[in-house]
Amino acid sequence: GFLVAAAAALPACASAVPPAPAPVARPLPRDGVPAAIADLHLTVYPEPRQASYGDVLLPLDAHRRVDVATPDFLSVLEARELLDDWKDLPPEGYVLEVAWDGARTVVIVAGADETGQRWAEEALRQLTLESDARRWARDCVIVDRPGFPLRGNKRPQAWEEPYRANFAWGAGYDAHSAGRTRAAYFAPGSPFDATEAGLDAALRAFGPLHAQGVRHFAVKFDDVGFGLTAASRLAFGSYPRAVVSYLRRLRTVLRSVDPGAKLYYLPQTYWWNDPRFAELALAIRNSGGLDPDVGLVLTGPEIISATIDAPGLAAARRAFGTTQTRALVYDNLGREGDWGPLTGRDPGLTAECDGVFGERGTPVNRLTRLDWSWNPVGYVAERSWNRAILELAGPAGFGALRDACAAFREGRAPDEVRAAIERFDAAPGRDWPGPLPRSELLRLLREDLARLTRAHATDG
């Protein structure tokens, strides 16, 4: 653990109160905690980049809190050998330590910015236990930072936000996407109108969204043909020339209004194993090429990709010549019925894209995606799966929810899945204060059971 005498290292703390011989610490609670999650209980999720946990809980009665507003903040961090770590943090990064200084508990909660401070507070909340009308926090040292700057979904849910969700594909204006970085998109359709009238249609769609804070804009051509309006064919001669001109003019207007705006292109060949991919990319380059700071939006090697690799995405970006603004990956894996963890995503994607976002997904799949998006290098799928289930069901309901999720993962017969769901319904811990109430989890499980039952009947 970290129960070392640190009074000399924190003189301001030691002089503030009379010295105490030892902390009134408590061992980590193990009663009622299933063996599968014993090492996950009272840890931080999403998985931090660097985390060391002690084996005791320290009292928060009369503890000393140290944050960026504390007068001797820098000297405290230096004494605790955390100053260099804190200075090196990128946006959203944070440092958290809970330790005994020889007299009382000291809690250092230090974000690189306002958002990092929020994540530090959330991490401390996950490490805090209320028992016997007292509050306790786990002995720890954590230095954390995000892997991807954008983490989220096409259909965001408000409950995801404390798990570091900060992105929404599509610019919705409801409680689910409040506070997120939003990417607005416009679909010109087919036949494609690349004239000034067609450009004006995109600008009319984007203008009000930009006024409300949106700075990421995408033009998407997924699932449409390559036809041009008569006026566009007369003006540009070919589809690739029309696309190049349209995106260049749109980029110019967006940048004239907001130099920090980002423009993305989602082509018809939005998976790089599409046999038309290389041909379209070459035609775009031969028609003048995209501006190198236009980003691509792709789904991976396939429309629904079991694996997405960084070298493949890098080659796809080079093919289109989009070498500056990193891509976005629209990940179609993990929809209804997928109660397992996210798998098959290359950690090296952090060098090629700003985010790998899902279209939708079960709460378990969403949580594991957010875990991977925050720390792809340290992500372990099965560990994350267990932790997601713990977040949703708590220790008392963990085993029953895990079995219900496993029933879907293993492709069990509908009657077996139904029985597992009913066992979760009857399991203790219904009042667990997780991100979603048990009633909502049961509703989602039963909806997916109904889909499974219909599919099973059709297959039969």
PDB file of all heavy atoms in Angstrom, residues 27 62 71 90 100 120 155 166 182 200 208 228 233 269 296 298 333 339 355 358 365-366 383 452:
ATOM      1  N   PRO A  27      -9.605  -2.436   5.947  1.00  0.00           N
ATOM      2  CA  PRO A  27      -9.287  -3.279   4.788  1.00  0.00           C
ATOM      3  C   PRO A  27     -10.367  -3.162   3.733  1.00  0.00           C
ATOM      4  O   PRO A  27     -11.511  -2.784   4.020  1.00  0.00           O
ATOM      5  CB  PRO A  27      -9.238  -4.696   5.388  1.00  0.00           C
ATOM      6  CG  PRO A  27     -10.112  -4.611   6.602  1.00  0.00           C
ATOM      7  CD  PRO A  27      -9.934  -3.214   7.144  1.00  0.00           C
ATOM      8  N   ALA A  62     -12.331  14.874   7.910  1.00  0.00           N
ATOM      9  CA  ALA A  62     -11.314  15.913   8.123  1.00  0.00           C
ATOM     10  C   ALA A  62     -10.067  15.699   7.265  1.00  0.00           C
ATOM     11  O   ALA A  62      -8.953  16.048   7.655  1.00  0.00           O
ATOM     12  CB  ALA A  62     -10.919  15.978   9.601  1.00  0.00           C
ATOM     13  N   PRO A  71      -3.112  26.872  -2.304  1.00  0.00           N
ATOM     14  CA  PRO A  71      -1.953  27.781  -2.408  1.00  0.00           C
ATOM     15  C   PRO A  71      -0.621  27.083  -2.619  1.00  0.00           C
ATOM     16  O   PRO A  71       0.213  27.546  -3.405  1.00  0.00           O
ATOM     17  CB  PRO A  71      -1.997  28.534  -1.065  1.00  0.00           C
ATOM     18  CG  PRO A  71      -3.446  28.520  -0.681  1.00  0.00           C
ATOM     19  CD  PRO A  71      -3.969  27.180  -1.137  1.00  0.00           C
ATOM     20  N   PRO A  90      -1.866  15.991 -21.121  1.00  0.00           N
ATOM     21  CA  PRO A  90      -2.571  16.657 -22.223  1.00  0.00           C
ATOM     22  C   PRO A  90      -3.960  17.091 -21.745  1.00  0.00           C
ATOM     23  O   PRO A  90      -4.341  16.809 -20.592  1.00  0.00           O
ATOM     24  CB  PRO A  90      -2.686  15.535 -23.261  1.00  0.00           C
ATOM     25  CG  PRO A  90      -2.841  14.304 -22.422  1.00  0.00           C
ATOM     26  CD  PRO A  90      -1.973  14.528 -21.211  1.00  0.00           C
ATOM     27  N   TRP A 100      -1.940   8.672   3.216  1.00  0.00           N
ATOM     28  CA  TRP A 100      -1.867   9.100   4.621  1.00  0.00           C
ATOM     29  C   TRP A 100      -0.564   9.858   4.826  1.00  0.00           C
ATOM     30  O   TRP A 100       0.505   9.396   4.425  1.00  0.00           O
ATOM     31  CB  TRP A 100      -1.912   7.876   5.528  1.00  0.00           C
ATOM     32  CG  TRP A 100      -2.012   8.201   6.989  1.00  0.00           C
ATOM     33  CD1 TRP A 100      -1.009   8.145   7.907  1.00  0.00           C
ATOM     34  CD2 TRP A 100      -3.169   8.639   7.681  1.00  0.00           C
ATOM     35  NE1 TRP A 100      -1.472   8.521   9.146  1.00  0.00           N
ATOM     36  CE2 TRP A 100      -2.809   8.827   9.037  1.00  0.00           C
ATOM     37  CE3 TRP A 100      -4.487   8.885   7.297  1.00  0.00           C
ATOM     38  CZ2 TRP A 100      -3.718   9.256  10.008  1.00  0.00           C
ATOM     39  CZ3 TRP A 100      -5.385   9.306   8.262  1.00  0.00           C
ATOM     40  CH2 TRP A 100      -5.006   9.483   9.595  1.00  0.00           C
ATOM     41  N   ALA A 120     -11.051  13.525 -12.804  1.00  0.00           N
ATOM     42  CA  ALA A 120     -10.409  13.216 -11.526  1.00  0.00           C
ATOM     43  C   ALA A 120     -11.452  13.053 -10.428  1.00  0.00           C
ATOM     44  O   ALA A 120     -11.364  12.147  -9.590  1.00  0.00           O
ATOM     45  CB  ALA A 120      -9.414  14.309 -11.157  1.00  0.00           C
ATOM     46  N   ARG A 155     -25.749   7.484 -31.559  1.00  0.00           N
ATOM     47  CA  ARG A 155     -26.940   7.666 -30.733  1.00  0.00           C
ATOM     48  C   ARG A 155     -26.497   7.731 -29.269  1.00  0.00           C
ATOM     49  O   ARG A 155     -26.559   6.745 -28.547  1.00  0.00           O
ATOM     50  CB  ARG A 155     -27.931   6.526 -30.976  1.00  0.00           C
ATOM     51  CG  ARG A 155     -28.511   6.520 -32.392  1.00  0.00           C
ATOM     52  CD  ARG A 155     -29.403   5.297 -32.607  1.00  0.00           C
ATOM     53  NE  ARG A 155     -30.102   5.349 -33.879  1.00  0.00           N
ATOM     54  CZ  ARG A 155     -29.591   4.941 -35.028  1.00  0.00           C
ATOM     55  NH1 ARG A 155     -28.369   4.447 -35.061  1.00  0.00           N
ATOM     56  NH2 ARG A 155     -30.285   5.026 -36.150  1.00  0.00           N
ATOM     57  N   ASN A 166     -17.631  11.962 -24.938  1.00  0.00           N
ATOM     58  CA  ASN A 166     -17.611  13.395 -25.236  1.00  0.00           C
ATOM     59  C   ASN A 166     -17.908  13.714 -26.701  1.00  0.00           C
ATOM     60  O   ASN A 166     -17.687  14.844 -27.144  1.00  0.00           O
ATOM     61  CB  ASN A 166     -16.248  13.987 -24.849  1.00  0.00           C
ATOM     62  CG  ASN A 166     -15.107  13.482 -25.726  1.00  0.00           C
ATOM     63  OD1 ASN A 166     -15.284  12.556 -26.530  1.00  0.00           O
ATOM     64  ND2 ASN A 166     -13.939  14.087 -25.584  1.00  0.00           N
ATOM     65  N   ARG A 182     -19.860  17.676 -31.280  1.00  0.00           N
ATOM     66  CA  ARG A 182     -20.812  17.091 -32.221  1.00  0.00           C
ATOM     67  C   ARG A 182     -20.321  17.282 -33.654  1.00  0.00           C
ATOM     68  O   ARG A 182     -19.760  18.315 -33.995  1.00  0.00           O
ATOM     69  CB  ARG A 182     -22.190  17.741 -32.045  1.00  0.00           C
ATOM     70  CG  ARG A 182     -22.838  17.405 -30.712  1.00  0.00           C
ATOM     71  CD  ARG A 182     -24.047  18.260 -30.444  1.00  0.00           C
ATOM     72  NE  ARG A 182     -23.672  19.655 -30.241  1.00  0.00           N
ATOM     73  CZ  ARG A 182     -24.537  20.622 -29.982  1.00  0.00           C
ATOM     74  NH1 ARG A 182     -25.819  20.358 -29.919  1.00  0.00           N
ATOM     75  NH2 ARG A 182     -24.122  21.856 -29.804  1.00  0.00           N
ATOM     76  N   ASP A 200     -25.238  25.737 -51.498  1.00  0.00           N
ATOM     77  CA  ASP A 200     -26.055  26.531 -50.594  1.00  0.00           C
ATOM     78  C   ASP A 200     -26.904  25.643 -49.684  1.00  0.00           C
ATOM     79  O   ASP A 200     -27.149  25.983 -48.519  1.00  0.00           O
ATOM     80  CB  ASP A 200     -26.963  27.483 -51.376  1.00  0.00           C
ATOM     81  CG  ASP A 200     -26.197  28.663 -51.976  1.00  0.00           C
ATOM     82  OD1 ASP A 200     -25.043  28.896 -51.546  1.00  0.00           O
ATOM     83  OD2 ASP A 200     -26.734  29.329 -52.885  1.00  0.00           O
ATOM     84  N   PRO A 208     -26.907  27.113 -39.002  1.00  0.00           N
ATOM     85  CA  PRO A 208     -27.479  27.179 -37.654  1.00  0.00           C
ATOM     86  C   PRO A 208     -26.743  26.300 -36.646  1.00  0.00           C
ATOM     87  O   PRO A 208     -26.680  26.625 -35.460  1.00  0.00           O
ATOM     88  CB  PRO A 208     -28.922  26.686 -37.862  1.00  0.00           C
ATOM     89  CG  PRO A 208     -29.195  26.902 -39.315  1.00  0.00           C
ATOM     90  CD  PRO A 208     -27.897  26.687 -40.005  1.00  0.00           C
ATOM     91  N   LEU A 228     -24.983  12.500 -61.444  1.00  0.00           N
ATOM     92  CA  LEU A 228     -24.920  13.953 -61.335  1.00  0.00           C
ATOM     93  C   LEU A 228     -26.181  14.572 -61.907  1.00  0.00           C
ATOM     94  O   LEU A 228     -26.788  14.021 -62.840  1.00  0.00           O
ATOM     95  CB  LEU A 228     -23.714  14.503 -62.101  1.00  0.00           C
ATOM     96  CG  LEU A 228     -22.311  14.240 -61.539  1.00  0.00           C
ATOM     97  CD1 LEU A 228     -21.256  14.716 -62.534  1.00  0.00           C
ATOM     98  CD2 LEU A 228     -22.127  14.933 -60.200  1.00  0.00           C
ATOM     99  N   ARG A 233     -23.256  17.995 -64.331  1.00  0.00           N
ATOM    100  CA  ARG A 233     -22.485  17.321 -65.380  1.00  0.00           C
ATOM    101  C   ARG A 233     -21.982  18.335 -66.400  1.00  0.00           C
ATOM    102  O   ARG A 233     -20.837  18.245 -66.878  1.00  0.00           O
ATOM    103  CB  ARG A 233     -23.340  16.252 -66.059  1.00  0.00           C
ATOM    104  CG  ARG A 233     -22.551  15.424 -67.092  1.00  0.00           C
ATOM    105  CD  ARG A 233     -23.242  14.142 -67.450  1.00  0.00           C
ATOM    106  NE  ARG A 233     -23.361  13.249 -66.300  1.00  0.00           N
ATOM    107  CZ  ARG A 233     -22.382  12.488 -65.847  1.00  0.00           C
ATOM    108  NH1 ARG A 233     -21.177  12.519 -66.435  1.00  0.00           N
ATOM    109  NH2 ARG A 233     -22.558  11.713 -64.809  1.00  0.00           N
ATOM    110  N   THR A 269     -17.466   4.565 -51.180  1.00  0.00           N
ATOM    111  CA  THR A 269     -16.606   3.417 -50.840  1.00  0.00           C
ATOM    112  C   THR A 269     -16.078   3.622 -49.421  1.00  0.00           C
ATOM    113  O   THR A 269     -14.890   3.860 -49.219  1.00  0.00           O
ATOM    114  CB  THR A 269     -15.453   3.315 -51.842  1.00  0.00           C
ATOM    115  OG1 THR A 269     -14.726   4.558 -51.833  1.00  0.00           O
ATOM    116  CG2 THR A 269     -15.962   3.057 -53.244  1.00  0.00           C
ATOM    117  N   LEU A 296     -11.262  11.887 -43.600  1.00  0.00           N
ATOM    118  CA  LEU A 296     -12.096  10.803 -44.104  1.00  0.00           C
ATOM    119  C   LEU A 296     -12.955  10.229 -42.985  1.00  0.00           C
ATOM    120  O   LEU A 296     -12.553  10.229 -41.818  1.00  0.00           O
ATOM    121  CB  LEU A 296     -11.238   9.672 -44.668  1.00  0.00           C
ATOM    122  CG  LEU A 296     -10.659   9.811 -46.077  1.00  0.00           C
ATOM    123  CD1 LEU A 296      -9.844   8.560 -46.396  1.00  0.00           C
ATOM    124  CD2 LEU A 296     -11.744  10.010 -47.113  1.00  0.00           C
ATOM    125  N   LEU A 298     -14.650   6.514 -42.414  1.00  0.00           N
ATOM    126  CA  LEU A 298     -14.677   5.159 -42.957  1.00  0.00           C
ATOM    127  C   LEU A 298     -15.140   4.191 -41.878  1.00  0.00           C
ATOM    128  O   LEU A 298     -15.073   4.493 -40.675  1.00  0.00           O
ATOM    129  CB  LEU A 298     -13.281   4.755 -43.444  1.00  0.00           C
ATOM    130  CG  LEU A 298     -12.644   5.625 -44.535  1.00  0.00           C
ATOM    131  CD1 LEU A 298     -11.188   5.234 -44.729  1.00  0.00           C
ATOM    132  CD2 LEU A 298     -13.405   5.491 -45.846  1.00  0.00           C
ATOM    133  N   LEU A 333     -19.754  -2.290 -35.724  1.00  0.00           N
ATOM    134  CA  LEU A 333     -19.764  -3.490 -34.885  1.00  0.00           C
ATOM    135  C   LEU A 333     -20.402  -3.173 -33.539  1.00  0.00           C
ATOM    136  O   LEU A 333     -20.164  -2.112 -32.963  1.00  0.00           O
ATOM    137  CB  LEU A 333     -18.342  -3.986 -34.660  1.00  0.00           C
ATOM    138  CG  LEU A 333     -18.203  -5.346 -33.978  1.00  0.00           C
ATOM    139  CD1 LEU A 333     -18.673  -6.463 -34.909  1.00  0.00           C
ATOM    140  CD2 LEU A 333     -16.747  -5.579 -33.578  1.00  0.00           C
ATOM    141  N   TRP A 339     -24.068  -8.236 -26.169  1.00  0.00           N
ATOM    142  CA  TRP A 339     -23.836  -7.969 -24.750  1.00  0.00           C
ATOM    143  C   TRP A 339     -22.414  -8.357 -24.337  1.00  0.00           C
ATOM    144  O   TRP A 339     -22.121  -8.527 -23.155  1.00  0.00           O
ATOM    145  CB  TRP A 339     -24.883  -8.680 -23.895  1.00  0.00           C
ATOM    146  CG  TRP A 339     -26.239  -8.067 -24.067  1.00  0.00           C
ATOM    147  CD1 TRP A 339     -27.146  -8.347 -25.036  1.00  0.00           C
ATOM    148  CD2 TRP A 339     -26.820  -7.039 -23.256  1.00  0.00           C
ATOM    149  NE1 TRP A 339     -28.272  -7.554 -24.893  1.00  0.00           N
ATOM    150  CE2 TRP A 339     -28.100  -6.748 -23.802  1.00  0.00           C
ATOM    151  CE3 TRP A 339     -26.405  -6.340 -22.123  1.00  0.00           C
ATOM    152  CZ2 TRP A 339     -28.947  -5.794 -23.256  1.00  0.00           C
ATOM    153  CZ3 TRP A 339     -27.245  -5.385 -21.574  1.00  0.00           C
ATOM    154  CH2 TRP A 339     -28.498  -5.118 -22.132  1.00  0.00           C
ATOM    155  N   GLY A 355     -11.262   9.294 -33.418  1.00  0.00           N
ATOM    156  CA  GLY A 355     -12.250   8.544 -32.672  1.00  0.00           C
ATOM    157  C   GLY A 355     -12.790   7.376 -33.468  1.00  0.00           C
ATOM    158  O   GLY A 355     -12.817   7.420 -34.706  1.00  0.00           O
ATOM    159  N   GLY A 358     -19.387   4.215 -32.260  1.00  0.00           N
ATOM    160  CA  GLY A 358     -20.390   3.229 -32.620  1.00  0.00           C
ATOM    161  C   GLY A 358     -21.683   3.868 -33.086  1.00  0.00           C
ATOM    162  O   GLY A 358     -21.948   5.048 -32.824  1.00  0.00           O
ATOM    163  N   ASN A 365     -21.773  -3.113 -24.220  1.00  0.00           N
ATOM    164  CA  ASN A 365     -20.903  -2.827 -25.352  1.00  0.00           C
ATOM    165  C   ASN A 365     -20.479  -1.367 -25.368  1.00  0.00           C
ATOM    166  O   ASN A 365     -19.320  -1.043 -25.669  1.00  0.00           O
ATOM    167  CB  ASN A 365     -21.604  -3.193 -26.658  1.00  0.00           C
ATOM    168  CG  ASN A 365     -20.639  -3.292 -27.818  1.00  0.00           C
ATOM    169  OD1 ASN A 365     -20.372  -2.307 -28.489  1.00  0.00           O
ATOM    170  ND2 ASN A 365     -20.096  -4.484 -28.045  1.00  0.00           N
ATOM    171  N   ARG A 366     -21.386  -0.475 -25.015  1.00  0.00           N
ATOM    172  CA  ARG A 366     -21.046   0.952 -24.978  1.00  0.00           C
ATOM    173  C   ARG A 366     -19.962   1.231 -23.936  1.00  0.00           C
ATOM    174  O   ARG A 366     -19.014   1.987 -24.186  1.00  0.00           O
ATOM    175  CB  ARG A 366     -22.293   1.782 -24.667  1.00  0.00           C
ATOM    176  CG  ARG A 366     -23.274   1.921 -25.817  1.00  0.00           C
ATOM    177  CD  ARG A 366     -24.572   2.552 -25.331  1.00  0.00           C
ATOM    178  NE  ARG A 366     -25.531   2.739 -26.403  1.00  0.00           N
ATOM    179  CZ  ARG A 366     -25.737   3.883 -27.065  1.00  0.00           C
ATOM    180  NH1 ARG A 366     -25.008   4.936 -26.758  1.00  0.00           N
ATOM    181  NH2 ARG A 366     -26.631   3.979 -28.016  1.00  0.00           N
ATOM    182  N   ARG A 383     -11.633  -8.337 -19.072  1.00  0.00           N
ATOM    183  CA  ARG A 383     -11.604  -7.533 -17.843  1.00  0.00           C
ATOM    184  C   ARG A 383     -12.591  -6.381 -17.950  1.00  0.00           C
ATOM    185  O   ARG A 383     -13.345  -6.100 -17.020  1.00  0.00           O
ATOM    186  CB  ARG A 383     -10.183  -7.022 -17.600  1.00  0.00           C
ATOM    187  CG  ARG A 383     -10.052  -6.089 -16.403  1.00  0.00           C
ATOM    188  CD  ARG A 383      -8.622  -5.565 -16.301  1.00  0.00           C
ATOM    189  NE  ARG A 383      -8.479  -4.537 -15.287  1.00  0.00           N
ATOM    190  CZ  ARG A 383      -8.205  -4.775 -14.012  1.00  0.00           C
ATOM    191  NH1 ARG A 383      -8.041  -6.016 -13.598  1.00  0.00           N
ATOM    192  NH2 ARG A 383      -8.091  -3.783 -13.146  1.00  0.00           N
ATOM    193  N   LEU A 452     -34.086 -12.081 -30.778  1.00  0.00           N
ATOM    194  CA  LEU A 452     -33.481 -13.397 -30.879  1.00  0.00           C
ATOM    195  C   LEU A 452     -34.544 -14.471 -31.129  1.00  0.00           C
ATOM    196  O   LEU A 452     -34.345 -15.376 -31.946  1.00  0.00           O
ATOM    197  CB  LEU A 452     -32.714 -13.704 -29.594  1.00  0.00           C
ATOM    198  CG  LEU A 452     -32.043 -15.079 -29.501  1.00  0.00           C
ATOM    199  CD1 LEU A 452     -30.957 -15.221 -30.553  1.00  0.00           C
ATOM    200  CD2 LEU A 452     -31.474 -15.288 -28.106  1.00  0.00           C
TER     201      LEU A 452
END
